[in-house]
Amino acid sequence: MTEQTLSWRRRLGAALILALVITAVAGIWRMAGTTGRAPAMPAGGGATPAPAPGDGPQPPQLVLGSLGGFEGWNPLLTERHPLQPLLFRSLVRYNDRMEVEPDLAASWEVGKDGRVYTLHLAEATWSDGRPVTASDVVFSLTTRLHPRADRLAAYNLAALNGAETYLAELERLDRDRQAGLLDEAAWEARAMAAYDRWLERGAVRAPDPRTVVVTFSEPYAPALELFTLPIVPAHAFASQAEALDPRNPFHTGHPVGSGPYRLDSWVPGVQARLVAREDLPREQAPGYPVVVVRFFRDQEELDRAVLAGEVDAGRLSPEAARRVVAGQEPLRLVEFPDLGYTYLAYNLADPILADPAVRQAMEQAVDRPALVGALFGRYAEVLAGPGLPGTWWAATQSPPRYDPEAARALLEQAGWVDGDGDGVRERGEQQLAIRIITHRENRYREEAADMLAGFLRQVGIAAEVQVVDWPDLVAALREGRYQAALLGVGVGVDPDGYALWHSTGHLNFTGLHDAEVDRLLEEGRRGGDRRVIYRQVQQRLAELEPALFLWQEILVLGVRQGVEGPISGSPGGFFWNVAAWHPADEPGPTSGPAAAGGGT
């Protein structure tokens, strides 16, 4: 799988992480990568070349394992990748307790109406020595809404003042272009004019070099999630369009970041070498002067490398984690819940799935504990709804009820009977048949789709599975060309599920339109007692059953003995504070956000 495919998944999750798809960190670590090799790319910027063998003592280095053929470093093009905290910082970040803490923003205030956030920047520099300023923040946030930016990711910022109207105008222009009413030049001119009009509203502005003012159209309680996006240097690009060009050297091997490391060399699909920045204060110097990242094609290869000690730390599959526990391997296992879930989304416009009785019967026909246990063992939580266990907003829900007899009775009462005795129910001339679509590259979902189909067949539902590439699944979802789709989304720390469940949400693939859900989601964004509001959302979704909620994964990192430090997971992944890691025989850096490396 390419990093483009991986990034699409993370952007789908990231739209809720502001809840970005992503990513990770829903799904980023699970993806397989490309196998192509390319010549080594020196990072430039005065990077010190790797010493040749025999040149003297080598500095301590940390070897990390990562999945995927990572294609570039620009956060504007690869949202929420777990390597980003090594090079880039954000305004704020989440720690391992899922608490917001300062990063590039030392402090902030919220206006009385809840619409205006004023952020005050800490002193920080880019790896080329230039200071980080408010203009960089304005550039980073507004470029994500440029007409050429990824549209799914752009919707992350739809709450900014005037952005929703602007994005709706872009969608109209897109439709006109697809219908042949606009050629490319006309689309470009009108789209840029709309963008310029939005910029003039000043939703993100810099009144001085150390202050950023962000204005939303309405009170926006999830704003801090938005501020976890990585910031890039405006001076590194001649224009916003250039910043979105995947061929730009910033993306292909010469990134400039404000994080604790800088890129020294990179062989795409094989290995990257990062070195600690020499210009940081001594108390902020990373514990490992050198970090080497090895890329692996699939999880099986990464498992083997971690278990064999070829890398110091890497994500493990549930199977590998169980082997470590059973065999008492000399590895430290670190766990963190994936802030996302896997679910079977129903197309509520489909004549069969529009029937509440069919959806309720499917709820009872699937033995979710057995399915999840067979796939993950203890490394996943069974879900009855979208509330993630352990989050402050999760409602207490009864375990999913497996009752195939009740499912059969429901279908009988709704008129779905097997009149010809072939094992498949019909109602009139319509057969009770459902196609489950899912995507390749994630064997757990492929296996789960087959298991789901088996459970449904036992109650008289003819179920078949279609496996497609991820871009094809996204297209089917957006165009409504599916019945039931098995996929995962990231929901982040904040409970805002507007994108997924509101009638106007851009990720509302089910087509759910419910006035009560809409009202609650709108109220939750404005503030108030959000714990109560989002528990009511979960209760209403349980009544409507627009999807079959399945599981939340427990992510596992394997760490070799000899690597010390506050090693833990966070919403930013396992590498969120890798600069605080250090060899066992050396003291670690001073604790705190700066010492821990910044970023999310």
Side-chain angles (χ1 to χ4, degrees), residues 172-384:
R172 288 193 297 271
L173 293 172
D174 289 347
R175 290 193 294 269
D176 288 346
R177 178 175 56 176
Q178 292 166 3
L181 301 176
L182 291 176
D183 60 20
E184 188 66 23
W187 177 89
E188 177 82 20
R190 296 190 186 185
M192 286 305 302
Y195 180 59
D196 290 339
R197 288 193 296 272
W198 176 73
L199 288 176
E200 290 172 1
R201 299 185 67 126
V204 187
R205 59 188 180 88
D208 63 62
R210 313 301 317 156
T211 306
V212 180
V213 178
V214 181
T215 304
F216 296 92
S217 297
E218 296 180 348
Y220 189 61
L224 291 179
E225 292 269 8
L226 178 64
F227 301 149
T228 64
L229 289 169
I231 302 302
V232 300
H235 68 265
F237 307 100
S239 66
Q240 291 174 313
E242 182 180 283
L244 295 169
D245 184 354
R247 300 164 299 180
N248 189 283
F250 190 98
H251 189 56
T252 61
H254 299 267
V256 177
S258 58
Y261 289 92
R262 54 182 174 79
L263 184 63
D264 180 53
S265 63
W266 176 38
V267 182
V270 181
Q271 179 174 294
R273 185 176 188 269
L274 300 94
V275 296
R277 288 175 52 185
E278 299 90 344
D279 59 334
L280 294 177
R282 183 175 180 180
E283 66 273 12
Q284 296 180 15
Y288 280 97
V290 176
V291 171
V292 173
V293 182
R294 291 184 55 197
F295 298 103
F296 294 86
R297 291 173 297 180
D298 53 47
Q299 184 63 57
E300 288 73 19
E301 282 197 1
L302 180 54
D303 284 344
R304 182 196 56 76
V306 175
L307 296 177
E310 296 174 9
V311 299
D312 295 319
R315 166 81 188 278
L316 288 175
S317 68
E319 294 83 0
R322 289 197 291 267
R323 289 201 300 270
V324 171
V325 173
Q328 298 183 340
E329 299 281 348
L331 279 175
R332 173 182 176 184
L333 297 184
V334 180
E335 299 180 9
F336 194 80
D338 187 1
L339 293 177
Y341 55 78
T342 294
Y343 71 132
L344 186 69
Y346 301 142
N347 183 348
L348 299 180
D350 179 78
I352 292 177
L353 288 165
D355 184 348
V358 172
R359 302 199 302 275
Q360 187 177 355
M362 292 175 65
E363 185 86 10
Q364 296 177 330
V366 175
D367 188 347
R368 278 174 280 189
L371 182 151
V372 174
L375 292 174
F376 298 100
R378 62 171 293 271
Y379 294 107
E381 295 275 359
V382 178
L383 297 182

Side-chain angles (χ1 to χ4, degrees), residues 565-586:
I567 303 172
S568 59
S570 87
F574 287 113
F575 299 161
W576 71 286
N577 68 339
V578 75
W581 301 9
H582 59 89
D585 57 350
E586 297 184 17

Side-chain angles (χ1 to χ4, degrees), residues 521-539:
L521 291 173
E522 292 164 8
E523 184 179 350
R525 281 194 159 189
R526 289 191 293 268
D529 192 339
R530 303 182 77 217
R531 184 191 302 270
V532 171
I533 291 169
Y534 288 106
R535 290 182 176 181
Q536 291 174 345
V537 170
Q538 294 165 68
Q539 180 179 353

